[in-house]
């Protein structure tokens, strides 16, 4: 395993999307480390859990992982998530040591098969061993496509927030795809040839071409001011460098957001909304140009009201985001002009909590938000474990 130099600290840039200087308080938490249903839920409207309790193959595995430091509950935080049926799929980045599984799943709603919600490594623990060649190393983003395939962005660099150890490159930058119906590996894309030692890969989205049905993966590379566009069928891709104007006002270590919007849910022309966290303006790029290896005509949407943290979309034209360090989730219909008048709040997180993902619950025709006391994690004031909430966004689907 090679130590990762400062220029290649991929995940460190991910943290910039959650500016936490204004947060100094700790959320109330229980020390049991157990997942628990929200006591105020009615009809499965949300889920709350503290810490990270896993269902491993047996108690012996749990004990061994804890004894050798590979399982430290307080170092586990879910930052990204997707919903498929009754299952919630979570990305647990290996920002510190002690994260046994970087991708996990749990039941979202109560029912006969899911009376007690616990985390299960996905697809299993044996394919996520840190430092093991050929395994998933560090999932920083997950994306569920229309074919119920879960795509995972794996930076291959771990321990970027660990004060006791240097960040390590334990694997190549990789995109993994698992068929959720079979739990089998659908595809594996090594991005080494499309990246550089400076690359900071942060977000991915997946789309299908309406004309030929081909699947395309798009990954943001903040350090290179680029979008990696990959044709899954042809097994080839390109790194598309974006215009310099996109980086106006940015810091050296910034976050490059991408969000996929379509003219209508489930179909229509597709485009990426693109912006840097510190960027002054937002832009849109049609995916048809990226598929050709070019940025094509990049449209300037205008000046942003404030620094924006992209959280997700509704699968159609609506972009969900929050302003930097703000607990309010905002909605903008990208079919309308990018003005303050067309932006409205749809949800507010509780004290000390910030949203990190908005996801579509397709079966129930609604949106849900993942939030946590993320600021405590960054400041290392977690205590027993991070508190996570999954909540319904009312009336915005």
């Amino acid at each position: 395993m090679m130590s990762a130099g400062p220029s290649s600290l991929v995940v460190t840039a991910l943290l910039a999307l959650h500016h936490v200087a204004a947060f100094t308080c700790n959320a109330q938490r229980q020390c049991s480390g157990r997942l628990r249903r929200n006591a105020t839920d009615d009809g499965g409207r949300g889920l709350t859990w503290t810490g990270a309790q896993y269902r491993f193959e047996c108690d012996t595995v749990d004990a061994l992982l804890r004894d050798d430091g590979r399982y430290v509950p307080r170092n586990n935080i879910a930052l990204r998530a997707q919903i498929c049926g009754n299952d919630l799929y979570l990305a647990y980045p290996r920002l510190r040591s002690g994260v046994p599984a970087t991708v996990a799943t749990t039941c979202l709603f109560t029912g006969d098969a899911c009376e007690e919600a616990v985390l299960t490594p996905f697809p299993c623990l044996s394919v996520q061993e840190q430092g093991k060649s050929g395994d998933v190393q560090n999932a920083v983003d997950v994306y569920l496509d229309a074919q119920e395939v879960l795509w995972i962005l794996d930076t291959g660099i771990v321990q970027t927030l660990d004060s006791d150890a240097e960040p390590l490159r334990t694997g190549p930058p990789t995109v993994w795809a698992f068929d959720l119906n079979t739990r089998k590996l659908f595809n594996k894309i090594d991005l080494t040839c499309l990246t550089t030692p400076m690359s900071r890969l942060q977000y991915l989205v997946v789309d299908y071409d309406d004309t030929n049905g081909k699947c395309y993966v798009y990954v943001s590379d903040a350090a290179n001011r680029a979008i990696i566009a990959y044709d899954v069928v042809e097994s080839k891709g390109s790194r598309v460098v974006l215009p310099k104007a996109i980086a106006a006002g940015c810091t050296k270590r910034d976050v490059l957001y991408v969000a996929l919007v379509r003219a209508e849910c489930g179909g229509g022309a597709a485009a990426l909304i693109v912006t840097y966290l510190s960027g002054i303006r937002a832009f849109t790029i049609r995916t048809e140009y990226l598929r050709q290896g070019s940025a094509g005509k990049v449209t300037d949407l205008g000046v942003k009201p404030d620094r924006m943290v992209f959280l997700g979309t509704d699968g159609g034209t609506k972009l969900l985001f929050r302003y930097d360090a703000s607990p309010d989730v905002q909605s903008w219909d990208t079919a309308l002009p990018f003005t303050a008048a067309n932006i409205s709040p749809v949800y507010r997180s509780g004290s000390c909590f910030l949203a990190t993902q908005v996801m579509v619950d397709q079966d129930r025709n609604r949106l849900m938000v993942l939030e946590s006391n993320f600021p405590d994690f960054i400041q290392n004031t977690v205590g027993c474990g991070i508190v996570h909430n999954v909540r319904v966004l009312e009336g915005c689907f």
Side-chain angles (χ1 to χ4, degrees), residues 108-386:
L108 185 57
F109 304 112
T110 57
D112 293 339
C114 302
E115 294 191 2
E116 184 177 340
V118 293
L119 296 174
T120 302
F122 179 85
C124 59
L125 186 64
S126 62
V127 301
Q128 302 189 54
E129 185 176 339
Q130 182 174 318
K132 181 182 177 182
S133 177
D135 278 15
V136 183
Q137 295 299 299
N138 186 25
V140 299
D141 199 11
V142 290
Y143 191 91
L144 180 66
D145 73 12
Q147 307 300 321
E148 296 191 348
V149 174
L150 185 71
W151 299 81
I152 301 165
L153 177 58
D154 175 7
T155 65
I157 295 179
V158 301
Q159 299 177 184
T160 54
L161 281 184
D162 215 326
S163 59
D164 299 326
E166 288 293 323
L168 297 174
R169 174 165 296 281
T170 56
T174 306
V175 172
W176 305 78
F178 290 92
D179 186 328
L180 296 186
N181 294 304
T182 63
R183 297 175 69 92
K184 301 294 186 182
L185 182 65
F186 171 75
N187 209 322
K188 177 183 177 182
I189 304 168
D190 189 330
L191 298 178
T192 301
C193 293
L194 296 172
T195 58
T196 71
M198 297 287 294
S199 289
R200 297 198 307 275
L201 308 182
Q202 297 162 337
Y203 291 92
L204 90 161
V205 295
V206 179
D207 192 29
Y208 290 83
D209 189 329
D210 290 335
T211 60
N212 56 29
K214 293 173 85 172
C215 180
Y216 292 86
V217 176
Y218 306 99
V219 177
S220 68
D221 185 345
N224 289 314
R225 201 180 72 247
I227 302 293
I228 295 173
Y230 193 87
D231 183 330
V232 176
V233 174
E234 300 293 336
S235 298
K236 64 180 182 180
S238 58
R239 186 173 71 242
V240 180
V241 178
L242 304 175
K244 291 183 179 179
I246 289 179
C250 295
T251 61
K252 289 185 177 180
R253 303 194 62 78
D254 215 315
V255 179
L256 179 59
Y257 294 105
V258 295
L260 179 71
V261 294
R262 305 188 67 92
E264 57 188 33
C265 286
L272 296 185
I273 307 297
V274 180
T275 191
Y276 274 98
L277 175 66
S278 304
I280 299 172
R281 314 176 76 88
F283 301 81
T284 182
I285 306 169
R286 290 171 64 175
T287 56
E288 64 180 280
Y289 297 132
L290 293 171
R291 293 168 184 173
Q292 299 167 6
S294 168
K297 183 180 179 181
V298 178
T299 303
D300 186 342
L301 294 172
V303 177
K304 297 187 297 186
D306 202 344
R307 288 154 57 108
M308 296 170 64
V309 174
F310 286 9
L311 301 175
T313 73
D314 69 344
T317 60
K318 289 183 181 178
L319 173 69
L320 286 302
F321 69 94
R322 61 175 172 80
Y323 295 119
D324 193 20
S326 170
D328 296 322
V329 174
Q330 308 282 343
S331 176
W332 166 52
D333 189 336
T334 59
L336 302 175
F338 184 53
T339 63
N342 292 324
I343 296 173
S344 59
V346 293
Y347 179 83
R348 183 179 180 84
S349 295
S351 177
C352 303
F353 284 79
L354 290 177
T356 60
Q357 175 87 73
V358 169
M359 55 220 145
V360 177
D361 181 5
Q362 196 69 50
D363 287 357
R364 299 160 187 84
N365 204 35
R366 62 186 181 183
L367 298 178
M368 302 195 78
V369 59
L370 170 67
E371 62 186 5
S372 63
N373 54 319
F374 180 85
D376 293 335
F377 184 86
I378 296 301
Q379 298 171 34
N380 204 20
T381 56
V382 169
C384 300
I386 285 290

Side-chain angles (χ1 to χ4, degrees), residues 27-88:
Q28 294 296 317
R29 58 184 59 80
Q30 295 181 357
C31 293
S32 64
R34 294 177 59 84
L35 289 155
R36 65 189 190 283
R37 299 293 173 188
N38 182 16
T40 62
D41 289 347
D42 57 348
R45 304 188 65 79
L47 176 68
T48 296
W49 71 95
T50 300
Q53 178 174 321
Y54 285 93
R55 178 186 287 120
F56 296 119
E57 289 83 352
C58 61
D59 293 340
T60 301
V61 173
D62 184 296
L64 288 173
L65 292 173
R66 290 176 185 267
D67 290 345
D68 65 13
R70 284 183 291 169
Y71 181 21
V72 182
R74 69 188 305 274
N75 288 350
N76 288 252
I77 180 171
L79 292 179
R80 306 290 288 171
Q82 295 285 272
I83 298 171
C84 185
N86 197 41
D87 297 316
L88 180 68

